[in-house]
Amino acid sequence: DAALGLLGLGTPWTINVEFENSEARRHVAVPARRGDGGGGGGGGAVVQLQGGAKRTSVDDEFVALRATRGSAFGKSDGNRSAGGKHGFNAKAAGASIPVFEESESVSGRLIITPKDAKAKPLQHLGIRVEFVGSIELMYESDLSHEFTSLLREVDDTGTITSTRTYTFTFQNALKTYDTYCGTHVRLRYFVRVTILRPQYTPNVVREFDVAVQHGLRELGATLPPVSPIRMEVGIEDALHIEFEYNKNRYELNDVVTGKIYFLLVRVKIKRMEIEIRRRESAGAGSSVYNETDIIAKFEAMDGAPVRGESIPIRLFLSAYPTLTPTYIAINNRFSVKYYLNLVIIDQDDRRYFKQAEIVLWRAAAT
């Protein structure tokens, strides 16, 4: 845009989108992901529930995503001309975006405003607004796979000389899956605004993200039956441990409880930890990329146990907002599974571990 301005082809106009009832909606924060330059930590992270919109500065000449009350939600991810590919960048990291439910229509206003009184008229060949749901895989050359797309033509060929407002509505927009932002994959929903420009002038394309979160509702039949997890780990004639977790599936605000029984201890144990691990599988067939991240680490014991000792476990899942529901074969492109990993470290820093898969789910919003 700056280069076009030097050539006299750019226009100092801002493109804003205000979503209907944005002030009353829940908002989620878009976190930085590993590899985006926005911090590492536990690897891939998902949208994180916040109490309200977070105010962020908006410097871009064209982009300023605002709520009805005027607070900025942040820049769009795709500040690019038409034909460009989706990028894995952190421009939207830390911004807040509104949450829509599966059955809701997505509607709002598109506002095109001159930056100052001396702005040149904006000539265009039409203005389009699209609602898009896409899955982006970092390792593929064609990063974006759009599984839903609705298009609205809001203006024909013309010239804009002053502030112009357009309304748009996408009824029954398909929002089958949750928004997800991981290590190798991102599932996102966004409103794409395209201003078609005359010949030799690049189209202006801006994207404004929204979030979708599904509750379980009546889908209980898809969950495995509730049952405790009982497993053993040990070394012959040296270590024998039994551990038990109260159940195999948890709501995202549940508490994991259990006990660790030491039946035989001939190893000098230094400490014991419980980890929550997320395994993300992206791709299909022979081109599957697996990434395992430690989401949480809980020290269950410090010091050497004795034979017959029982160690209680109590882990609050609500303390880890980057947890998501378990996802299986989303659009046949990625899956996300979770595991409880028991790790025992001896005095020589040797590690003994045993993991058990758990299923996480989200309760319906009330």
Side-chain angles (χ1 to χ4, degrees):
D1 289 342
L4 290 174
L6 292 175
L7 296 173
L9 300 176
T11 52
W13 295 72
T14 60
I15 302 174
N16 301 330
V17 166
E18 296 179 353
F19 292 103
E20 186 177 357
N21 298 325
S22 182
E23 184 174 357
R25 291 187 182 279
R26 293 186 301 129
H27 292 79
V28 295
V30 181
R33 297 176 306 162
R34 191 172 65 193
D36 289 343
V46 299
V47 289
Q48 175 181 337
L49 184 62
Q50 300 288 326
K54 182 188 294 183
R55 184 176 295 273
T56 57
S57 62
V58 179
D59 304 325
D60 191 272
E61 183 179 43
F62 277 94
V63 182
L65 176 56
R66 293 180 179 143
T68 304
R69 63 179 178 277
S71 62
F73 289 131
K75 296 181 183 179
S76 70
D77 288 280
N79 298 336
R80 55 184 176 84
S81 60
K85 294 181 179 179
H86 291 274
F88 278 74
N89 58 64
K91 286 187 177 181
S96 292
I97 57 178
V99 178
F100 286 80
E101 296 184 359
E102 181 180 9
S103 59
E104 279 189 286
S105 297
V106 178
S107 58
R109 297 189 302 163
L110 164 64
I111 306 172
I112 302 176
T113 309
K115 191 172 182 181
D116 55 55
K118 298 180 180 180
K120 295 180 181 179
L122 177 60
Q123 296 181 352
H124 63 86
L125 302 179
I127 300 176
R128 299 173 179 172
V129 179
E130 297 174 79
F131 178 77
V132 179
S134 72
I135 296 176
E136 301 169 10
L137 303 177
M138 184 174 65
Y139 56 83
E140 290 191 0
S141 57
D142 184 10
L143 292 173
S144 179
H145 303 271
E146 296 182 357
F147 56 86
T148 184
S149 179
L150 296 175
L151 174 65
R152 299 287 183 269
E153 299 278 357
V154 298
D155 201 357
D156 298 324
T157 301
T159 301
I160 300 177
T161 57
S162 59
T163 299
R164 189 75 61 86
T165 300
Y166 306 91
T167 59
F168 61 87
T169 299
F170 298 99
Q171 293 184 342
N172 303 318
L174 183 63
K175 302 186 288 295
T176 308
Y177 311 115
D178 277 5
T179 301
Y180 176 78
C181 184
T183 305
H184 291 299
V185 62
R186 176 170 64 169
L187 191 154
R188 58 189 287 251
Y189 297 89
F190 56 91
V191 171
R192 178 191 292 146
V193 177
T194 304
I195 300 179
L196 305 176
R197 302 298 300 279
Q199 192 175 12
Y200 306 121
T201 306
N203 294 337
V204 178
V205 181
R206 297 293 179 264
E207 296 173 356
F208 303 89
D209 284 72
V210 299
V212 174
Q213 291 184 345
H214 297 82
L216 186 66
R217 297 188 183 92
E218 68 281 357
L219 302 181
T222 64
L223 291 175
V226 177
S227 61
I229 298 176
R230 295 186 179 92
M231 302 185 74
E232 297 183 4
V233 61
I235 303 172
E236 187 176 359
D237 296 328
L239 182 66
H240 186 191
I241 297 173
E242 291 183 356
F243 62 92
E244 175 180 329
Y245 302 117
N246 60 329
K247 55 185 178 179
N248 60 339
R249 71 182 197 193
Y250 296 90
E251 203 275 328
L252 293 178
N253 292 306
D254 274 350
V255 180
V256 177
T257 59
K259 288 186 178 181
I260 311 294
Y261 302 95
F262 291 87
L263 304 179
L264 177 63
V265 183
R266 293 177 180 172
V267 175
K268 294 182 179 180
I269 296 176
K270 183 166 58 175
R271 67 180 186 275
M272 181 173 63
E273 300 172 345
I274 303 292
E275 298 173 342
I276 301 178
R277 295 194 171 195
R278 173 165 56 216
R279 180 173 300 164
E280 178 184 286
S281 301
S286 59
S287 301
V288 175
Y289 290 76
N290 295 306
E291 183 76 19
T292 300
D293 295 303
I294 298 176
I295 304 301
K297 185 179 291 187
F298 171 76
E299 187 175 272
M301 182 189 70
D302 184 14
V306 297
R307 181 178 179 179
E309 189 171 358
S310 174
I311 305 296
I313 301 296
R314 193 172 182 85
L315 181 60
F316 292 84
L317 297 181
S318 60
Y320 308 102
T322 57
L323 291 174
T324 73
T326 296
Y327 299 128
I328 303 297
I330 299 299
N331 203 240
N332 293 322
R333 295 198 174 273
F334 74 95
S335 298
V336 179
K337 296 182 179 181
Y338 288 91
Y339 299 86
L340 290 175
N341 191 43
L342 173 66
V343 183
I344 296 174
I345 301 98
D346 67 13
Q347 295 290 344
D348 298 322
D349 286 329
R350 289 176 297 192
R351 302 169 71 88
Y352 312 90
F353 60 90
K354 189 77 171 182
Q355 68 180 17
E357 183 177 357
I358 59 174
V359 174
L360 300 183
W361 57 281
R362 178 186 290 117
T366 55

